[in-house]
Amino acid sequence: MGTFLKIKSLGLTALMLLAVSCSGRHSVDVEPTDPAILYMGRILVTDSTAPTFTYPGTTAMLNFEGNGIAMAASPGSGQFMVEVDSMAPFKINFTPSDSLITLADSLADGPHSLRVTYAIEGYEKHPEFRGFTITGDNAKLLPAPQRPGLKIEFIGNSITCGYGTEADSGDIHFSYDTENHTLSYAYLTARALDADFNIVARSGIGMYRSYGGPREGTPAERMPVEYDRTLIYNPSHYWNHRSFRPDIICINLGTNDTSLDNYDIELFETAYKKFLAHLHILQPQAKIVLLTGPMLHGQALDDVKASLDRLAEGNDNVYRFDLSEQTGELGYGADYHPSAAQAAKNAGELTTYLRTLIP
């Protein structure tokens, strides 16, 4: 099993040279646009910038031979979860002083696999993938992993992001240190189904009204406004929907629309209906699943369920599923969001249901 360590930023080129000179080993630099890297998620790639992204769950995967591998990213990119071969996943954090982090060293000879997943919401951090460095006498990049055939898109809020899933108590307030998308119901479902997946989610967002907004809605800040953008809150780059054709789209919205019991369910349903029509035009092949989330309860849950039932009735390729409501038996994440255990329970439920929709 390899030894894992962190290298602080001294300048990317200097660090790579230093790593090679100290080890006396061969190294191979992998550009972030190399076709042998398999990416998942909404990523902006231009001639002048490295692959840029904002949504949690954005993933880079590659195969290689060598005894070690390091990852480069823009300083301050934040937290990623790393999987090397079958070793236990671990978290790394690109602070403002980090540009290169060693992910594994002293690996055995032979082929290895790497999967790196963005664990947080990066709209404030502007993260970038800047490539990898493979080290070892036999260092080389191998052909890209095979892209999964099943494609799923998850549209949602903090629950889909994995907000607070690493917190031990609902009394703990949000921080990036306790957000981990790889513990969310969405990520766990995608992995269980071996799916290529895209996440379009933001904490606090709603279909017609984001958290704490006025009863009449927040027209400028809601999912239908952000959905067509590659990077959230950035209208400069629109997402090419033809580049990802999901077989299934799961929508988990309504918790923030009904927040603080200050909502108009008719406005919610009208906005939702319009968004569904938009999705049907963009992705006519997709089966769309309307979800209720585990934080909904009481009258709000009843209202959202009834609304989604009406939207699904007689609507081709639209389906309904309710994630089980959290009761506290499985604990709470930060700010009384789903715990890791609750998210795992919901993932199991959704995985079982989605299997019924897969031919």
Side-chain angles (χ1 to χ4, degrees):
M1 185 170 291
T3 301
F4 304 104
L5 53 105
K6 179 187 284 191
I7 299 178
K8 290 292 183 178
S9 173
L10 301 174
L12 183 55
T13 302
L15 265 175
M16 290 180 176
L17 290 174
L18 178 61
V20 175
S21 63
C22 290
S23 65
R25 294 185 297 178
H26 177 58
S27 73
V28 174
D29 293 336
V30 182
E31 293 296 322
T33 54
D34 195 299
I37 301 174
L38 172 62
Y39 287 114
M40 297 182 185
R42 291 193 174 188
I43 300 176
L44 174 67
V45 180
T46 69
D47 292 336
S48 58
T49 62
T52 304
F53 52 96
T54 56
Y55 288 113
T58 306
T59 298
M61 301 171 64
L62 58 86
N63 296 322
F64 67 98
E65 285 191 18
N67 304 120
I69 189 164
M71 172 184 168
S74 53
S77 285
Q79 286 92 330
F80 296 80
M81 291 299 295
V82 179
E83 297 174 57
V84 180
D85 298 335
S86 59
M87 301 177 194
F90 62 96
K91 183 182 282 189
I92 60 172
N93 182 18
F94 281 89
T95 73
S97 61
D98 294 320
S99 60
L100 185 74
I101 294 178
T102 294
L103 308 181
D105 200 359
S106 304
L107 293 172
D109 291 339
H112 300 284
S113 64
L114 174 68
R115 183 181 187 122
V116 180
T117 303
Y118 199 49
I120 64 173
E121 306 167 63
Y123 62 95
E124 295 176 316
K125 295 180 175 291
H126 311 290
E128 297 176 357
F129 285 117
R130 293 187 175 178
F132 299 88
T133 297
I134 306 167
T135 57
D137 293 337
N138 59 341
K140 65 178 178 180
L141 183 63
L142 298 176
Q146 184 174 359
R147 186 175 294 278
L150 178 66
K151 294 178 171 59
I152 305 177
E153 182 171 77
F154 294 90
I155 302 171
N157 49 38
S158 56
I159 300 165
T160 301
C161 291
Y163 179 117
T165 49
E166 288 193 351
D168 296 327
S169 164
D171 295 327
I172 296 173
H173 293 304
F174 174 81
S175 75
Y176 286 123
D177 291 337
T178 62
E179 184 169 51
N180 189 342
H181 176 74
T182 68
L183 299 177
S184 72
Y185 81 92
Y187 182 86
L188 295 173
T189 299
R191 289 298 296 269
L193 295 172
D194 188 27
D196 181 2
F197 67 102
N198 273 16
I199 301 297
V200 187
R202 159 75 170 99
S203 291
I205 205 163
M207 185 64 77
Y208 100 98
R209 171 181 174 264
S210 291
Y211 182 81
R215 181 184 179 88
E216 59 270 22
T218 53
E221 187 177 331
R222 56 197 181 93
M223 181 56 70
V225 174
E226 299 298 333
Y227 179 73
D228 292 329
R229 299 171 179 174
T230 304
L231 310 174
I232 197 166
Y233 301 145
N234 185 340
S236 301
H237 306 283
Y238 280 85
W239 176 244
N240 178 8
H241 293 284
R242 291 173 295 179
S243 67
F244 187 78
R245 292 295 194 190
D247 301 290
I248 299 171
I249 300 174
C250 294
I251 308 175
N252 186 356
L253 292 171
T255 303
N256 293 307
D257 295 272
T258 57
S259 60
L260 308 179
D261 293 327
N262 182 31
Y263 62 93
D264 185 323
I265 200 64
E266 292 185 4
L267 292 178
F268 169 75
E269 189 169 328
T270 298
Y272 213 128
K273 183 177 181 179
K274 185 176 180 180
F275 186 59
L276 284 176
H278 185 54
L279 290 180
H280 279 313
I281 293 171
L282 293 174
Q283 307 290 3
Q285 79 293 335
K287 296 176 179 178
I288 303 174
V289 182
L290 314 185
L291 302 173
T292 57
M295 295 180 71
L296 283 168
H297 62 276
Q299 188 61 52
L301 176 59
D302 292 342
D303 287 345
V304 172
K305 278 185 175 181
S307 181
L308 298 186
D309 288 344
R310 288 190 293 269
L311 289 166
E313 185 177 2
N315 199 334
D316 289 343
N317 267 0
V318 178
Y319 303 82
R320 278 278 293 113
F321 188 75
D322 299 314
L323 300 177
S324 62
E325 183 180 349
Q326 62 182 12
T327 63
E329 286 183 57
L330 298 176
Y332 291 105
D335 296 314
Y336 292 89
H337 280 67
S339 65
Q342 178 69 41
K345 177 182 178 180
N346 292 146
E349 298 165 346
L350 184 57
T351 298
T352 299
Y353 176 73
L354 294 185
R355 288 191 195 279
T356 68
L357 302 182
I358 301 170

